[in-house]
Amino acid sequence: MSMVKVCFGGTFDPVHAGHIGSAKALAELLAVPVTLLPNGVPAHRDRPDASPEQRLAMLRMACENEAQLLVDSREIERTGPSYTIDSVMAMRAEMASSDGLIWCLGEDAFAQLHTWHRWRDLLQYTHLLVLQRPASDGPKDTELLDFWQRHRVRQVRHLLARPSGSIASIGLPQYAVSATTIRQLLVQGKTPPEHMLPAKIAHYIAAQNLYKVEAN
Ligand code: ATP
């Protein structure tokens, strides 16, 4: 296999230390840059508080001095719901057929995979790499459990043997932070600690007057 592309999608409302720390750890472990993709209109959750442009600006800011982290804005530039299948198909079309594609997602997101548009087709184009998270349960859906069973590989290095088609899990150093916690702190008028939210992102949030009211 000639090249491997590693992607990490999300809403990033806002990007936080858990996203950045996990992406950096992955880049180091796999020895390849990690591309972060903010979604435009998330298909599986409420509309984010910050606009796509604000979420993209925060993500770019968080990655600006991180040589191993790249930002791809294609999901924001597309109209309509941001489906991962569209992104992996588009990326595949840009790559050699022998190149590997690895789409990373947290365990909480993986547990809902069966609700994603054309979820069963994802593995035709990419591998999935599930990041374990201490506070989240694994999948419960029986079809997803069966799919996982059929495509699961025990070690991340097995993903490097083929361009797509497998699911691996990985336990990285854990960051007990979520964007929900950060928004809740901000609504209460508190500044999230730097180990949760980089100071430059906190400054941007204050300057843009973001996350002032409880989302409905
Ligand atoms: P929210 O609390 O609003 O649901 P979030 O913190 O989970 O947000 P998202 O943008 O929804 O952030 O997540 C993007 C991806 O990052 C998802 O796959 C999610 O599982 C993963 N992720 C989020 N927080 C962490 C963390 N602390 N460690 C590892 N992965 C994380």
Side-chain angles (χ1 to χ4, degrees):
M1 190 161 57
S2 22
M3 268 178 47
V4 182
K5 189 173 170 93
V6 180
C7 295
F8 188 19
T11 306
F12 306 114
D13 186 28
V15 61
H16 55 65
H19 301 129
I20 297 300
S22 303
K24 280 170 69 174
L26 272 173
E28 195 167 319
L29 188 96
L30 300 170
V32 281
V34 171
T35 301
L36 295 118
L37 293 95
N39 52 36
V41 183
H44 303 103
R45 53 183 289 161
D46 294 341
R47 201 166 64 83
D49 291 359
S51 70
E53 293 71 26
Q54 287 169 322
R55 291 185 287 112
L56 178 61
M58 290 189 276
L59 196 53
R60 287 214 163 114
M61 215 178 277
C63 296
E64 68 192 349
N65 295 319
E66 306 291 352
Q68 287 300 91
L69 302 187
L70 308 170
V71 178
D72 184 323
S73 58
R74 73 180 71 214
E75 292 194 349
I76 279 180
E77 282 146 21
R78 255 189 344 242
T79 52
S82 294
Y83 293 128
T84 301
I85 187 77
D86 295 333
S87 299
V88 295
M89 285 174 74
M91 283 179 180
R92 206 13 97 200
E94 294 163 4
M95 300 166 74
S97 56
S98 58
D99 288 345
L101 182 58
I102 300 178
W103 191 273
C104 305
L105 70 176
E107 210 171 5
D108 55 323
F110 180 66
Q112 298 304 318
L113 190 79
H114 59 288
T115 66
W116 291 22
H117 183 55
R118 293 182 56 197
W119 63 279
R120 286 187 193 78
D121 297 338
L122 288 166
L123 294 184
Q124 284 176 37
Y125 305 96
T126 187
H127 293 299
L128 294 177
L129 179 55
V130 182
L131 316 184
Q132 293 160 9
R133 294 185 68 183
S136 81
D137 296 327
K140 299 257 183 309
D141 181 80
T142 49
E143 277 183 63
L144 176 54
L145 283 168
D146 175 59
F147 182 79
W148 190 18
Q149 195 61 41
R150 279 186 288 120
H151 299 286
R152 191 172 191 170
V153 291
R154 292 282 158 199
Q155 308 226 4
V156 176
R157 66 183 167 80
H158 292 148
L159 300 184
L160 305 176
R162 297 168 52 192
S164 61
S166 301
I167 306 174
S169 298
I170 189 170
L172 296 170
Q174 295 292 323
Y175 296 84
V177 53
S178 69
T180 304
T181 312
I182 288 174
R183 292 193 302 271
Q184 282 166 351
L185 288 170
L186 291 163
V187 164
Q188 294 161 15
K190 297 176 185 156
T191 305
E194 178 129 27
H195 70 266
M196 288 189 181
L197 186 70
K200 56 187 172 183
I201 310 293
H203 292 145
Y204 177 91
I205 288 172
Q208 298 276 317
N209 233 357
L210 280 169
Y211 312 118
K212 288 273 177 173
V213 287
E214 200 89 53
N216 48 29

